[in-house]
């Protein structure tokens, strides 16, 4: 096993029966600065400081979980106290790992290197012990070192008690603080420390590290499986090694190596190919197919939020490809090819609209009482928005006076030239299409041609200011959706073969068809109530109500 990869909590011990298994996160904890992954800038700074004898008295290490904060603190402790193979060495960026101080620190038994968990030692009394003990020189090491993990958990009194000692500690004392929430550390403490921000480890470096670990463990692993684990780790080496440990155990039960399919199943991730198929269905406007694909993922045990997150990642990847960023080497070749194809076909406005819709849907599904139903509604909303005209093109068309119908997808498809008719013996001028004489006749024509929902929306919401086919002016005082205008224009173009122009005017307009129908029905009702026979019946039966009468109009 290579020295750069081998990282043990303790030196190798002779084999003995029944020895407890050490998880990979402990077994491969880095024991040299070179074994730290993705922290080259910090290592270079420490190397220069040690070489020039400019070692700070207090260090603050911050970063997300599992990037190596505590491991780095132990490495600094070894670097400052290493005496080398011959016992005469000084502080070095390359501790030997075999001298007594190095071994004792690695085993956690060095009397002058004190580790404390601030989560369980939060009070001022614990800090008083540190302050009192710091006055005395180190017993056997060059420096007495205090490593306080999760330092942000200390109480306000504990921080205040530590300030004076932290600012002017004895020359033989060094403080090493580690925290995942640096914003909770008082500014007075931050100003007294040399701060190192440990970066998230890139996914490609994690995948390389996991591949090396798998090789050392004698386990075969698919590159895609390691890439999935690296993505799931979110920059944390410890989290990734824990997932890899679980994946190896799963592979042992299956009698094979670590496969991408097994990792997806273990993590509950949506299959990348299934996500691409679902995105293709969304872009094609295939609502039944998209809902069926979502249900298949749900039946496989994939969480609906996971599906939407995967769709978000796909849209983000397509956008980056369209911008021209470097391709992710961890991506499968077929995924990169699909992203390139979509990047050429989709515009930036459409990609941004997809991102916003999916992001809003992801938040809704995460909070929904019915997650799968909320996810289905999100997909349907995306499909509907996909068919809407681009807002920029629509604004330009309105500026040119072409109206909303000029840019709607339906009118664009209807405007496509029809195939030329077959030649006949007698050529006659085609008769002009018959225009509906009234708005009510127009709504009836739309109903006949299958535009039921649109006809209902017009009958209930449209107030006519001017009806002069093929131009209609509607009242803007009654709210009416902009997409209703464009859809109506497109439907009328299909029905009549003529381009219609619909617009809004700030004028009262005539009553809607529904209001007119209700008015007629109410007039008939009042006429029936005014008849002598009905009045006589009402006087004889005061609690009676008029429910039905001959020729009653349907006012529902």
């Amino acid at each position: 096993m290579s020295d750069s990869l081998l990282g043990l909590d303790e030196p190798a011990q002779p084999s003995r029966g029944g020895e407890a298994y050490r998880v990979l996160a402990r077994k491969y904890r880095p024991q040299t600065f070179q074994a730290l992954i993705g922290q080259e800038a910090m290592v270079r700074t420490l190397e220069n400081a040690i070489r020039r004898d400019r070692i700070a008295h207090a260090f603050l290490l911050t970063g997300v979980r599992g990037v190596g904060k505590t491991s780095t603190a132990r490495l600094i402790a070894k670097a400052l106290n290493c005496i080398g193979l011959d016992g005469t060495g000084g502080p070095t960026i390359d501790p030997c790992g075999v001298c007594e101080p190095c071994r004792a620190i690695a085993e956690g038994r060095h009397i002058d290197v004190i580790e404390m968990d601030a989560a369980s030692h939060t009070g001022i009394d614990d800090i008083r012990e540190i302050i009192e003990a710091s006055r005395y020189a180190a017993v056997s090491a060059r420096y007495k070192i205090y490593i306080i993990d999760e330092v942000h958990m200390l109480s306000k009194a504990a921080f205040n008690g530590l300030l004076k000692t932290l600012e002017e500690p004895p020359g033989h004392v060094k403080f090493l603080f580690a925290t995942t929430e640096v914003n909770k550390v008082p500014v007075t403490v931050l100003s007294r420390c040399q701060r190192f921000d440990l970066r998230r480890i890139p996914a490609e470096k994690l995948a390389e590290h996991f591949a090396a670990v798998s090789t050392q463990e004698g386990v075969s692993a698919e590159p895609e499986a390691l890439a999935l684990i690296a993505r799931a780790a979110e920059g944390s080496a410890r989290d990734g090694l824990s997932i890899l440990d679980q994946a190896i155990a799963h592979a042992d039960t299956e009698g094979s190596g670590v496969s991408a399919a097994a990792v997806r199943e273990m993590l509950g991730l949506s299959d990348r190919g299934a996500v691409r198929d679902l995105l293709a269905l969304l872009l094609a406007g295939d609502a039944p197919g998209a809902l069926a694909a979502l249900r298949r993922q749900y039946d496989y045990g994939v969480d609906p939020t996971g599906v939407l997150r995967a769709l978000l990642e796909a849209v983000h990847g397509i956008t980056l490809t369209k911008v021209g960023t470097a391709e992710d080497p961890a991506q499968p070749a077929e995924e990169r090819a699909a992203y390139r194809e979509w990047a050429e076909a989709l515009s930036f406005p459409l990609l941004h609209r997809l991102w916003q819709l999916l992001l809003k849907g992801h938040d809704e599904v995460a909070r929904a009482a019915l997650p799968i139903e909320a996810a289905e509604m999100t997909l349907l909303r995306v499909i509907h928005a996909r068919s809407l005209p681009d807002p920029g093109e629509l604004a330009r068309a309105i500026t040119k006076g072409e109206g909303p119908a000029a840019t709607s997808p339906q009118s664009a498809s209807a405007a496509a030239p029809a195939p030329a008719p077959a030649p006949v013996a007698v050529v006659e001028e085609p008769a002009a299409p018959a225009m509906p004489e009234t708005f009510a006749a127009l709504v009836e024509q739309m109903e006949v041609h299958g535009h039921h929902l649109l006809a209902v929306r017009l009958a209930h919401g449209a107030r006519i200011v001017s009806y002069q086919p093929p131009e209609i002016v509607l009242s803007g005082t009654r709210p009416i959706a902009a997409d209703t205008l464009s859809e109506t224009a497109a439907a009328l173009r299909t029905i009549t073969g003529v381009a219609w122009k619909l617009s809004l005017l700030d004028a009262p307009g005539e009553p809607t068809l529904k209001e007119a129908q209700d008015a007629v029905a109410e007039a008939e009702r009042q006429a029936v109530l005014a008849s002598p026979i009905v009045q006589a019946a009402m006087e004889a039966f005061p609690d009676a109500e008029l429910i039905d009468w001959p020729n009653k109009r349907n006012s529902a």
Side-chain angles (χ1 to χ4, degrees):
M1 187 180 297
S2 63
D3 293 338
S4 63
L5 183 60
L6 177 60
L8 306 178
D9 262 326
E10 56 189 35
Q13 300 291 333
S15 177
R16 56 185 181 271
E19 183 177 1
Y21 171 72
R22 279 183 302 167
V23 296
L24 298 182
R26 289 190 59 201
K27 185 176 181 181
Y28 292 97
R29 172 172 280 172
Q31 293 299 302
T32 65
F33 283 103
Q34 288 72 25
L36 282 174
I37 308 172
Q39 311 301 339
E40 292 79 6
M42 181 200 66
V43 173
R44 184 167 58 253
T45 303
L46 286 174
E47 181 180 7
N48 293 337
I50 292 174
R51 187 174 64 251
R52 299 171 184 173
D53 196 21
R54 301 176 63 89
I55 305 171
H57 61 275
F59 296 89
L60 178 68
L61 306 170
T62 178
V64 298
R65 69 198 184 281
V67 293
K69 297 182 297 296
T70 307
S71 297
T72 300
R74 292 177 182 175
L75 289 176
I76 294 175
K78 290 202 301 184
L80 297 181
N81 286 325
C82 178
I83 59 176
L85 297 175
D86 56 1
T88 61
T92 174
I93 196 66
D94 295 314
C96 65
V98 296
C99 66
E100 179 56 26
C102 287
R103 292 173 60 85
I105 292 172
E107 295 170 11
R109 57 178 175 82
H110 201 294
I111 192 173
D112 293 319
V113 178
I114 301 96
E115 292 193 33
M116 187 182 84
D117 178 18
S120 54
H121 300 82
T122 62
I124 183 63
D125 293 336
D126 300 301
I127 296 302
R128 284 200 185 102
E129 293 181 9
I130 293 177
I131 295 173
E132 291 296 327
S134 66
R135 299 177 181 177
Y136 303 100
V139 176
S140 62
R142 186 178 296 111
Y143 295 103
K144 179 177 286 188
I145 296 177
Y146 291 94
I147 300 175
I148 303 181
D149 198 11
E150 299 301 336
V151 69
H152 65 274
M153 300 290 289
L154 290 178
S155 65
K156 183 178 180 180
F159 274 124
N160 291 335
L162 187 62
L163 285 179
K164 186 61 178 177
T165 303
L166 186 61
E167 184 173 16
E168 297 178 359
H172 59 272
V173 174
K174 302 291 182 185
F175 289 98
L176 302 177
F177 301 142
T179 178
T180 54
E181 300 184 49
V182 69
N183 58 301
K184 294 184 178 180
V185 179
V187 178
T188 50
V189 174
L190 292 176
S191 64
R192 290 166 167 82
C193 300
Q194 189 172 98
R195 173 174 168 176
F196 290 102
D197 290 87
L198 277 68
R199 301 177 178 179
R200 289 181 182 269
I201 306 172
E204 56 270 18
K205 289 191 176 182
L206 282 177
E208 293 174 2
H209 180 61
F210 298 156
V213 170
S214 300
T215 301
Q216 295 293 339
E217 292 294 309
V219 177
S220 62
E222 296 179 0
E224 187 178 354
L226 298 177
L228 289 172
I229 295 174
R231 288 196 188 99
E234 296 182 343
S236 170
R238 183 176 63 234
D239 288 6
L241 287 173
S242 299
I243 298 173
L244 179 60
D245 220 343
Q246 183 181 356
I248 291 175
H250 182 78
D252 288 342
T253 60
E254 297 292 335
S256 60
V258 178
S259 65
V263 171
R264 286 195 191 93
E265 180 182 0
M266 184 182 71
L267 297 178
L269 298 176
S270 180
D271 182 79
R272 308 294 294 184
V275 170
R276 293 195 299 274
D277 294 341
L278 177 56
L279 182 58
L281 292 170
L282 291 177
L283 295 175
D286 186 352
L291 295 182
L294 175 63
R295 280 289 178 174
R296 282 196 298 272
Q297 292 292 297
Y298 183 70
D299 292 340
Y300 290 150
V302 181
D303 187 69
T305 56
V307 176
L308 292 180
R309 178 173 180 174
L311 287 171
L312 282 167
E313 291 176 352
V315 173
H316 178 255
I318 295 168
T319 307
L320 293 183
T321 301
K322 191 173 184 65
V323 170
T325 57
E327 293 181 339
D328 184 359
Q331 276 185 332
E334 59 272 13
E335 185 170 295
R336 292 198 296 269
Y339 283 6
R340 286 193 297 268
E341 183 178 348
W342 274 323
E344 294 176 359
L346 303 178
S347 64
F348 280 116
L350 178 57
L351 289 171
H352 295 324
R353 197 189 313 173
L354 282 173
W355 172 266
Q356 292 297 332
L357 290 168
L358 290 172
L359 185 62
K360 185 176 185 296
H362 180 275
D363 294 341
E364 291 176 355
V365 172
R367 300 191 305 267
L370 302 171
I372 183 61
E373 286 79 1
E376 289 178 338
M377 294 302 295
T378 296
L379 297 189
L380 291 176
R381 186 163 61 220
V382 170
I383 291 173
H384 174 69
R386 174 67 180 89
S387 63
L388 294 179
D390 179 76
E393 295 180 3
L394 187 59
R396 286 191 293 271
I398 294 175
T399 303
K400 295 177 181 178
E402 298 175 4
T407 55
S408 66
Q410 293 90 340
S411 59
S413 61
V424 293
V426 179
V427 178
E428 298 180 355
E429 288 292 330
M435 292 290 184
E437 296 182 0
T438 64
F439 183 66
L442 180 145
V443 173
E444 184 178 352
Q445 282 293 316
M446 298 186 71
E447 185 78 31
V448 170
H449 286 80
H451 301 282
H452 307 292
L453 182 58
L454 190 56
V456 172
R457 285 155 61 184
L458 292 174
H460 284 247
R463 288 180 173 174
I464 298 298
V465 175
S466 172
Y467 180 76
Q468 297 178 352
E471 293 188 9
I472 304 177
V473 180
L474 303 177
S475 172
T477 59
R478 183 184 182 91
I480 185 168
D483 58 350
T484 300
L485 298 181
S486 60
E487 291 178 14
T488 302
L492 292 176
R493 176 69 177 267
T494 303
I495 296 171
T496 65
V498 177
W500 287 66
K501 182 178 179 180
L502 280 72
S503 59
L504 297 176
L505 182 66
D506 190 11
E510 300 176 1
T512 66
L513 296 179
K514 180 66 167 58
E515 291 171 343
Q517 184 181 20
D518 291 345
V520 172
E522 180 62 22
E524 291 180 354
R525 180 175 179 275
Q526 294 300 328
V528 172
L529 289 173
S531 64
I533 188 170
V534 174
Q535 288 185 349
M538 289 294 187
E539 291 175 0
F541 303 97
D543 295 333
E545 295 182 6
L546 179 61
I547 297 176
D548 196 4
W549 60 90
N551 301 323
K552 176 184 177 182
R553 292 177 181 266
N554 182 15
S555 59

